[in-house]
């Protein structure tokens, strides 16, 4: 079954994330109102997070809605260039656990750990080339996909503006590496409304390579679940690919 | 950060007059994306920003408040954080480095400045000899017979007018005991002024805008006027230098028996009456944002004399839009 990007919302936070305001039940009702075919309930984790079983139990106990698939995930930061993820050691992914690990570029994955935007800008000023920085980020992202097992790239490339880079500086081989790894590892890639990324060039390249793309609002309140404007355009770009 | 990418600014305390003032000022800038946070879902400032940019946070005194705020700033890629909540500010300022590590600059004076302002005894000691400062002693270390009455008694630490009262004579002062966390201060009989003061990264005062508080309702100024008065401005400048101010503080002055402007206290944050100062020509939230971003500030920003009367405003919403 081919589902349009805008009929999915695979990145919806609930009150299990500190600052979010809506419960899973409220997000489910919002997904139903928005006419979504699929929603992924996702909350933030770190290495010390302990709530995941309770979160999963709450989602599992939600009433079933005809025609609406309910999936789960946890969102974790890439910690370093090796693609290590900030997840609890006992996290179960797959049957009995979360459906996917959302891989987030909250910080730049440096060889010695997360780099703050300032550190990254300093490294770039001190001689790290934009191409090398891009390659490190892409490499770390690919390694994180391998490690996650069942992953989903959350707001891919949303970090770039913060470190003075732009998707136009990505080489085709960068996009090919991400696409190949995503296909091989079964990683989905979200097209993110909130951060407006990845851009049309990357979306087209990933779609053409057969990557499973999903829509994402990155909502933390029910009122924005399934609400798209920027992604709707990316979705029509993908349809162009399909028609080729 | 590249110039083309808008600056993401998070304002906490979105329900208070200071939070609203900062939000309304920064909303006029086209290079800013505003995010708002409060512990209360009915905080009106939450609804002055876009849906999706509204966050509920833990109370400022909660043990994990700073941890979760730093995580929020990291995830939301906040460039600059404005805290307008008294109890949060020193806690956040103490963790400025952690915020810096996730790419967030805190638009607030240094922790050292905050601490000297929040300890009114330390503040009086710091300013004594630099500018007219009323005699200030700890209750337990003070001779009740040595004062001219009435005197002011107030908590050593704490914000606003909470716990401040006049004591009529030595017997009444003796009856208060010997609390080390309470101050006795000479009562200044003259008119009171709030001076909104902004100092740049070098501590140079860019603007000091005295305001009279013509009417106050529940601690909030509801009528006031900016006052061009060299002495008030100069006194506020001296205070700013004495406390090492970088950023915005609200310096409260009162005229003493000789009519000189003397120090009452310093609130090291944005005051709720800030819209008057903005309208009078000094957009301090916007200048504070530039300061936090490391941009050069003008050497001096002038203001004009302007009066204000204030009223409550309404934000109408679909019931479903109120955060659940």
């Amino acid at each position: 079954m081919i589902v349009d990007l805008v009929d999915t919302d695979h990145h919806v936070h609930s009150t299990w994330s500190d600052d979010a305001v809506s419960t899973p039940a409220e997000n489910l009702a919002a997904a139903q109102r928005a006419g979504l075919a699929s929603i992924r309930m996702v909350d933030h984790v770190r290495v010390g997070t302990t709530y995941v079983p309770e979160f999963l139990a709450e989602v599992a106990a939600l009433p079933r809605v005809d025609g609406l698939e309910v999936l789960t995930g946890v969102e974790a930061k890439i910690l370093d260039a090796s693609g290590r993820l900030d997840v609890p050691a006992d996290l179960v992914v797959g049957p009995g656990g979360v459906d996917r690990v959302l891989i987030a570029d909250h910080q730049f994955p440096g060889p010695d750990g997360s780099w703050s935007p300032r550190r990254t800008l300093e490294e770039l000023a001190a001689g790290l080339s934009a191409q090398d920085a891009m390659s490190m980020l892409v490499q770390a992202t690919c390694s994180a996909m391998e490690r996650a097992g069942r992953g989903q790239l959350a707001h891919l490339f949303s970090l770039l503006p913060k470190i003075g880079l732009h998707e136009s500086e990505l080489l085709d081989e960068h996009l090919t590496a991400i696409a190949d790894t995503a296909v091989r590892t079964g990683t989905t890639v979200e097209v993110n409304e909130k951060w407006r990324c990845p851009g049309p060039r990357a979306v087209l390249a990933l779609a053409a390579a057969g990557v499973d793309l999903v829509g994402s609002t990155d909502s933390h309140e029910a009122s924005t679940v399934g609400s798209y404007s920027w992604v709707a355009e990316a979705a029509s770009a993908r349809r162009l690919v399909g028609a080729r | 950060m590249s110039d083309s990418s808008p600056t993401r600014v998070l304002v906490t305390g979105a329900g208070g007059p200071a939070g609203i003032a900062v939000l309304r000022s920064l909303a006029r800038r086209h290079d800013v994306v505003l995010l708002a946070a409060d512990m209360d879902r009915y905080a009106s400032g939450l609804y002055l920003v876009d849906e999706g940019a509204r966050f509920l946070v833990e109370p400022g005194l909660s043990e994990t408040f700073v941890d979760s705020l730093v995580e929020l700033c990291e995830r939301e890629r906040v460039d600059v954080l404005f805290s307008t909540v008294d109890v949060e500010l020193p806690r956040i300022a103490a963790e400025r480095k952690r915020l810096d590590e996730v790419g967030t600059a805190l638009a607030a004076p240094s922790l050292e400045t905050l601490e000297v302002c929040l300890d009114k005894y330390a503040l009086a000691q710091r300013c004594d000899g630099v500018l007219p400062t009323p005699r200030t002693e700890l209750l337990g270390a003070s001779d009740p017979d040595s004062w001219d009455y009435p005197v002011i008694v107030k908590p050593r630490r704490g914000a606003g007018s909470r716990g401040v009262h006049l004591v009529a004579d030595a017997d009444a002062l003796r009856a208060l005991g010997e609390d080390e966390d309470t101050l006795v201060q000479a009562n200044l009989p003259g008119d009171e002024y709030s001076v909104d003061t902004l100092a740049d990264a070098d501590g140079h005062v860019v603007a000091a805008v005295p305001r009279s508080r013509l009417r106050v309702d529940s601690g909030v100024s509801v009528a006031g006027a900016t006052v061009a008065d060299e002495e008030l401005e100069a006194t506020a400048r001296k205070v700013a230098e004495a406390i090492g101010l970088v950023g915005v503080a609200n310096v409260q002055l009162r005229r003493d028996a000789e009519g000189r402007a003397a120090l009452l206290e310093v609130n090291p944050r944005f005051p709720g009456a800030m819209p008057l100062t903005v309208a009078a020509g000094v957009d301090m939230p916007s200048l504070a944002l530039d300061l936090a971003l490391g941009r050069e500030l003008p050497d001096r920003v002038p203001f004009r004399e302007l009066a204000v009367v204030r009223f409550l405003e309404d934000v109408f919403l679909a019931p479903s839009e109120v955060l659940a």
Side-chain angles (χ1 to χ4, degrees), chain A residues 17-21 26 44 46 77 105-107 115-118 121 155 158-159 161-162 164 194-195 220-221 223-224, chain B residues 1-2 5 8 41 51-58 68 71-72 74-79 100-103 320 323-324:
Chain A
S17 294
D18 282 339
D19 40 67
V21 297
E26 288 161 343
H44 292 285
R46 310 193 60 166
K77 169 169 79 172
D105 56 348
H106 290 313
Q107 301 277 313
W115 287 1
S116 70
R118 176 176 300 177
L121 289 166
H155 45 69
S158 69
L159 175 68
K162 189 110 182 181
K194 178 173 175 175
W195 301 102
H220 64 277
E221 55 192 284
S223 55
T224 54
Chain B
M1 194 185 53
S2 69
S5 157
R8 294 174 64 82
R41 66 189 64 251
E51 243 182 333
R54 305 164 183 165
F55 299 91
L56 293 181
V57 291
E58 297 176 28
S68 49
E71 285 180 28
L72 174 63
E74 177 180 55
R75 296 197 299 257
E76 291 298 323
R77 303 200 191 291
V78 173
D79 296 300
D100 191 60
E101 280 165 5
V102 300
S320 62
L323 301 182

Side-chain angles (χ1 to χ4, degrees), chain A residues 12 59 144 149:
Chain A
V12 175
V59 174

Side-chain angles (χ1 to χ4, degrees), chain A residues 40 85 93 99-103 144-145 147-154 182 185-189:
Chain A
R40 184 181 304 282
L85 288 162
V93 183
D99 296 323
R100 283 186 189 276
V101 177
L102 275 68
I103 298 164
M145 286 192 262
R147 285 172 183 262
R150 294 167 55 86
Q152 172 171 316
L153 296 185
T185 57
T187 304
T188 54
V189 179

